[in-house]
Amino acid sequence: MLIEKNERIKNKGRETRNKRKTQTAKSFEIKLDKSKISKEKMGNLQRLFLEGKWFTNYMISKGITDLVPYKDYKIDKVNVKVKDKFEERELRLLSSQMKQYIIKRLQNNVKALHELGKKGKKVGKIKYIKSLHSIFLMQYGNTYTLDMKKRTLHIQGLGDFKVIGLEQIPDNCDITTANLIERNGDYFLHVTVYVPKEEKVHNRKAIGIDLGVKDQITFSNGIKVKYNVEMPKRVKKLYKVFSRSQYNNETKERSKRGQKVLAKIKKEFARENNQKRDINNKIAHYVAAKYEFVAYQNDPINEWQRLFGRRIYQTSIGGFRDTLKRKVSTPLEVGRFAKTTGICMYCGYSLHLNLSERMFKCPSCGHVQERDVSAAKAVEGLSLWNVGETLVDDDASTSNKLEYLKSIPHVKASIADEARSPKQADGAQEAPSVRVG
Ligand SMILES: [Zn+2]
């Protein structure tokens, strides 16, 4: 019987590993809706993390390397140091699996420290922790379960919690492990799921992208995108309050009020970063789904950040470029020093454009185009030429694209001033001679 069971587990493991080869892991953040958590359940959540801390510190005190995860988790009482005395505390919420994982994690930390030590790095011992911020939920369907219809999360031993953000999780996925996270008094679930690998597009469509400071993204089909997630004014005020709060030199701690304000500031930053990441993902995903070849220049965004500071920080176009590189079928990178601004796409004439000059007017053939669109076209042209492809125009989907981009919160999308072809521009100049003729 036992042999049979082992064989079954082995086969199941092999099956899973083979399946994972055709899948990619994705991670989603889901928030527990605090407004719908009863006082009792809230107390339990807090208690769970507290028990996790007690258990962690107790295990550290016993000497981690000698612990056996599958044996030593079996305790339900620990000694906790309160001021100078030890008091006994009961572990009533921390499940066996949670405890086993805490031991494993501690042992991994010890191993990592040991490895560092071997490399000659100076390493200390594992220290007692002041607080625990994450609890690993090892097994979906056992340690925790999600109910998509009721929008609830069930945690073993703690009950059901209403959650926000379940709609991010795709239908056709395998839900695996999760981390229950406490962050500045809020609770989140980081779920790992496996989805089928995305089919890369093969439509030979191409688009060029110009990244900039004034307009963050300009596409070679003329669409411009601006986005700006601004730090609310109250954050500035919070900073002031924080800097004035008491700092105790002995305990190396801020006053209660100071700590509270700091938690609020961190929360604001986290929210802002999430919004930016979300925008970047949405735009990059859309581009990757529509175009096989996506060309962009390897601009020195870090340098821009130094020069333009806050404006770049608020948009994180570097993050957009990285996401794009990861997602598109064939990313085409144009070198940082290649000239793409001030080049005529019709006759190849090149001139120097100051940052204040928003239009490119070709002195040679008369072609007129908005500066960034012209640069995006040059980026597209240059890289397609490098891979031996020809330009594919994409007028039909331009309006769809515009509508989609407009639907993303905080994003402003528009079509840049229309280009005038060399012929039209020439026509204007030649008007008098036509009359004469
Ligand atoms: Zn020209």
Side-chain angles (χ1 to χ4, degrees), residues 344 346-349 362 364-367:
C344 179
Y346 282 87
C347 70
Y349 190 91
C362 178
S364 172
C365 73
H367 175 61

Side-chain angles (χ1 to χ4, degrees), residues 230-381:
E230 261 181 72
M231 193 59 83
K233 285 210 176 84
R234 63 176 177 275
V235 179
K236 250 189 187 169
K237 281 184 195 154
L238 286 173
Y239 262 123
K240 265 187 196 157
V241 177
F242 175 71
S243 60
R244 284 185 201 136
S245 67
Q246 291 277 340
Y247 181 77
N248 187 329
N249 265 325
E250 258 171 50
T251 60
K252 305 239 179 282
E253 268 177 4
R254 287 268 168 191
S255 64
K256 275 258 156 65
R257 170 127 181 86
Q259 287 180 28
K260 253 190 185 164
V261 172
L262 183 63
K264 272 188 191 165
I265 295 171
K266 280 185 182 167
K267 218 164 158 178
E268 290 287 348
F269 268 104
R271 206 177 52 120
E272 195 208 20
N273 278 334
N274 277 342
Q275 279 176 344
K276 282 192 285 193
R277 200 183 314 136
D278 196 45
I279 294 171
N280 284 339
N281 276 334
K282 280 185 174 141
I283 302 178
H285 184 83
Y286 188 82
V287 173
K290 299 280 174 194
Y291 300 91
E292 183 177 352
F293 300 95
V294 178
Y296 56 90
Q297 188 159 22
N298 182 22
D299 296 298
I301 290 170
N302 289 343
E303 245 164 74
W304 293 358
Q305 189 140 11
R306 201 166 46 81
L307 287 169
F308 300 99
R310 224 177 49 175
R311 254 155 90 187
I312 296 290
Y313 175 75
Q314 282 167 350
T315 55
S316 94
I317 41 179
F320 170 70
R321 193 176 58 190
D322 293 340
T323 317
L324 199 64
K325 267 190 219 179
R326 265 204 327 272
K327 291 199 170 188
V328 299
S329 294
T330 314
L332 301 168
E333 188 167 289
V334 173
R336 150 178 324 194
F337 298 107
K339 186 172 167 60
T340 52
T341 301
I343 288 210
C344 179
M345 279 314 289
Y346 282 87
C347 70
Y349 190 91
S350 154
L351 80 162
H352 179 75
L353 275 186
N354 287 323
L355 206 61
S356 59
E357 291 175 76
R358 301 311 303 173
M359 291 303 277
F360 170 81
K361 294 179 190 128
C362 178
S364 172
C365 73
H367 175 61
V368 180
Q369 191 148 53
E370 200 273 341
R371 169 203 180 95
D372 296 336
V373 179
S374 161
K377 276 191 195 283
V379 168
E380 184 186 3

